């Protein structure tokens, strides 16, 4: 009796295991329940977690004056690639293979290497940001606070607008990565759009203000008051920000943001924003994030300061004879352009000039895209000690430089001693 019960029990198990393969009056039953569909956000974030790095050639894109024109200068060959006369209302936006500017009532896109016209769009609104992957360009516009829809994003394919997407609140600087248009808007929202239609595929909300999205080192970064590397989503489709980094906060004249201007329109070529700003380069590591060489660079008209990004100390300061109108950091140093058209590369550790050339024209502003630089001058070019650098910087007599002088005095005072005290008394005797 017992063995018979065991036999029928085994038979019941076999039958139960096989019954799912039979048709029971409708569709055949699957061997196992279907898996729930993968959340769209998970798919999108997986695409964005590792992306192709589209490298812009090493160029300087400058707005020259007398007459007004756009100049693209090859940094490797030390010669102009092309130049065109133009009345440009904004500093140029440089993205992969494209230069985007506002000129009168038009948004103009030019090929980076040839200067050829890619598009000319008659659009209202202030230019905020742009991106390109060689096939599609996206342009972000601020339509103004009085407009019902304050932000607008245009998708441009083959020279014309393929789609337009409006936002109730303002948009920031977008990027194209992993076949997805990523655009920040309303300070803390990030939308992921289909590049061919502008249809929103997914959306996340950040904890902190985000005004820029950009690609570096094969990853997508969110930029605002700090920098966040965007990671893959979890099983529930929630975004995981792998690493967030904020450099040391310090009081600086003009209080420039980590990322320039955010949701504001791109400044005009002669705006002071080009002469008072910060520069840095991402140092992207698997489990850590920071700035290359541990530096954050601060331009204040004729001054170039190199600060420790994590500690409130200055590493070096350099004085230029004229205003600086462009700056870009890379690993190993920082490239600057001044208003006379001179370009110089400064060593990250000492500030010594290790490379220089000239565009050959006075400039209003410049966007710099360096890669690497040969150190044509001696690597250990002598410079005065930091104490001497700060004292000389504090003595510059230019009414516009009072903020920079005060900054130099602040760090100079930290050296202490009778000689420093006497110098400070002399410096502070100037009522300005």
């Amino acid at each position: 009796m017992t063995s018979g019960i065991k036999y029928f029990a085994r038979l019941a198990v076999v039958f139960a295991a096989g019954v799912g393969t039979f048709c029971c009056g409708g569709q055949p039953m699957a061997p196992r329940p279907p898996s729930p569909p993968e959340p769209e956000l998970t798919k999108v974030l997986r695409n964005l977690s590792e992306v192709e790095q589209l490298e812009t050639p090493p160029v300087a894109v400058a707005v020259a004056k007398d007459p007004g024109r756009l100049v693209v200068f090859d940094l490797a060959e030390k010669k102009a690639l092309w130049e065109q006369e133009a009345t440009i209302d904004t500093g140029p936006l440089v993205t992969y293979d494209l230069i985007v500017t506002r000129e009168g009532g038009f948004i103009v896109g030019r090929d980076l290497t040839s200067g050829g016209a890619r598009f000319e769009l008659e659009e209202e609104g202030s230019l905020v940001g742009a991106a390109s992957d060689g096939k599609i360009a996206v342009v972000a516009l601020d339509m103004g606070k009085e407009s019902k829809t304050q932000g607008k994003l245009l998708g441009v394919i083959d020279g014309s607008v393929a789609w337009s997407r409006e936002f109730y609140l303002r948009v920031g600087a977008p990027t194209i990565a992993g076949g997805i248009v990523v655009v920040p808007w309303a300070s803390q929202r990030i939308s992921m759009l289909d590049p061919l239609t502008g249809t929103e595929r997914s959306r996340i909300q950040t904890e902190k203000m985000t005004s820029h999205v950009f690609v570096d080192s094969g990853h997508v970064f969110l930029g605002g008051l700090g920098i966040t590397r965007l990671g893959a989503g979890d099983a529930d489709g929630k975004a995981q920000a792998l690493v967030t980094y904020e450099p040391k906060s310090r009081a600086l004249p003009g209080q420039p943001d980590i990322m320039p201007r955010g949701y504001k329109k791109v400044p005009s070529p002669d705006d002071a924003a080009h002469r008072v700003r910060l520069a840095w380069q991402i140092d992207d590591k698997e489990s850590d994030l920071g700035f290359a060489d541990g530096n954050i660079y601060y331009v204040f008209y004729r001054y170039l300061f190199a600060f420790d990004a994590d500690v409130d100390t200055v590493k070096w300061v350099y004085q230029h004879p004229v205003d600086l109108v462009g700056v870009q950091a890379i690993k190993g140093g920082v490239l600057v352009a001044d208003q006379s058209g001179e370009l110089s590369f400064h060593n990250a550790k000492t500030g010594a000039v290790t490379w220089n050339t000239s565009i050959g024209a006075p400039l209003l502003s410049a966007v710099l895209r360096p890669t690497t630089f040969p150190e044509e001058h001696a690597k250990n070019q002598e410079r005065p000690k930091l104490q001497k650098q700060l004292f000389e910087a504090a003595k510059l007599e230019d009414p516009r430089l009072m903020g920079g002088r005060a900054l130099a005095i602040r760090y100079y005072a930290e050296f202490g001693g009778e000689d420093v005290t006497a110098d400070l008394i002399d410096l502070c005797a100037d009522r300005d």
Side-chain angles (χ1 to χ4, degrees), residues 44-292:
V44 169
L45 291 176
R46 186 169 60 247
N47 284 354
L48 294 176
S49 62
E50 291 187 15
V51 297
E52 181 185 2
Q53 183 76 44
L54 301 176
E55 297 289 351
T56 296
V59 294
V61 180
V63 180
K65 59 181 181 178
D66 305 325
R69 62 196 188 279
L70 196 62
V71 179
V72 175
F73 187 86
D74 187 318
L75 296 173
E77 299 295 329
K78 292 188 175 183
K79 65 179 183 180
L81 285 177
W82 57 266
E83 59 180 79
Q84 292 180 4
E85 289 193 19
T87 303
I88 297 175
D89 299 325
T90 64
L93 294 175
V94 181
T95 168
Y96 179 44
D97 62 340
L98 195 64
I99 302 170
V100 180
T101 57
R102 174 168 277 289
E103 300 174 29
F106 295 89
I107 304 294
V108 180
R110 293 180 173 87
D111 185 89
L112 178 64
T113 55
S114 70
R118 296 269 288 274
F119 57 79
E120 190 171 303
L121 312 176
E122 191 171 8
E123 293 282 343
E124 296 181 354
S126 300
L127 183 60
V128 172
S132 170
D133 66 355
K135 299 176 182 177
I136 181 172
V138 292
V139 177
L141 301 173
D142 180 13
M143 307 308 291
K145 292 183 179 180
E146 304 303 320
S147 175
K148 182 179 179 181
T149 53
Q150 296 181 20
K152 189 175 183 180
L153 198 69
L154 305 175
V156 184
I157 302 176
D158 294 331
S160 60
V161 177
W163 53 264
S164 175
R165 188 71 189 259
E166 295 182 332
F167 297 78
Y168 285 107
L169 298 172
R170 301 166 80 181
V171 298
T175 194
I176 304 174
I180 300 167
V181 175
V182 190
V183 56
W185 61 286
S187 297
Q188 293 178 292
R189 295 179 178 90
I190 310 293
S191 285
M192 292 79 162
L193 313 180
D194 184 286
L196 298 179
T197 65
T199 304
E200 184 177 55
R201 291 183 57 183
S202 197
R203 181 190 301 186
I204 61 174
Q205 184 155 342
T206 59
E207 295 181 356
K208 297 184 179 182
M209 189 276 287
T210 300
S211 59
H212 292 67
V213 183
F214 62 98
V215 175
D216 196 302
S217 308
H219 293 102
V220 176
F221 292 88
L222 313 179
L225 300 177
I227 309 295
T228 298
R229 184 174 62 201
L230 190 63
D234 60 21
D236 297 324
K238 296 179 181 178
Q240 294 180 347
L242 297 186
V243 184
T244 297
Y245 173 71
E246 292 187 20
K248 174 70 177 177
S249 176
R250 69 199 85 211
L252 296 173
Q255 283 300 309
D257 296 326
I258 296 295
M259 302 293 292
R261 292 279 175 162
Y263 289 90
K264 299 178 181 179
K265 68 178 182 179
V266 179
S268 63
D270 59 351
D271 194 285
H274 301 291
R275 293 166 169 79
V276 181
R277 56 176 300 184
L278 296 170
W280 42 267
Q281 173 63 44
I282 286 286
D283 185 11
D284 188 15
K285 301 174 182 176
E286 186 64 28
S287 60
D288 196 9
L289 192 62
F291 290 161

Side-chain angles (χ1 to χ4, degrees), residues 19-38:
V19 71
T21 64
F22 289 93
C23 178
C24 302
Q27 293 294 324
M29 294 182 65
R32 60 180 61 86
S35 300
E38 185 178 37

Side-chain angles (χ1 to χ4, degrees), residues 329-349:
I330 63 172
K331 187 175 182 180
V334 58
L335 178 68
V336 295
D338 69 32
Q339 66 181 25
S340 71
E342 297 293 318
L343 303 175
S344 57
F345 187 75
H346 297 256
N347 179 275
K349 292 183 179 180

Side-chain angles (χ1 to χ4, degrees), residues 178 324 431:
L324 298 172
R431 290 183 177 272

Side-chain angles (χ1 to χ4, degrees), residues 345-380:
F345 187 75
H346 297 256
N347 179 275
K349 292 183 179 180
T350 66
V353 175
T354 61
W355 180 97
N356 65 290
T357 190
S358 176
I359 291 178
L363 307 180
L364 292 173
S365 67
V367 177
L368 308 174
R369 290 290 181 266
T371 49
T372 59
F373 280 90
E375 298 205 346
E376 296 178 353
H377 304 297
K379 289 186 178 181
N380 298 317

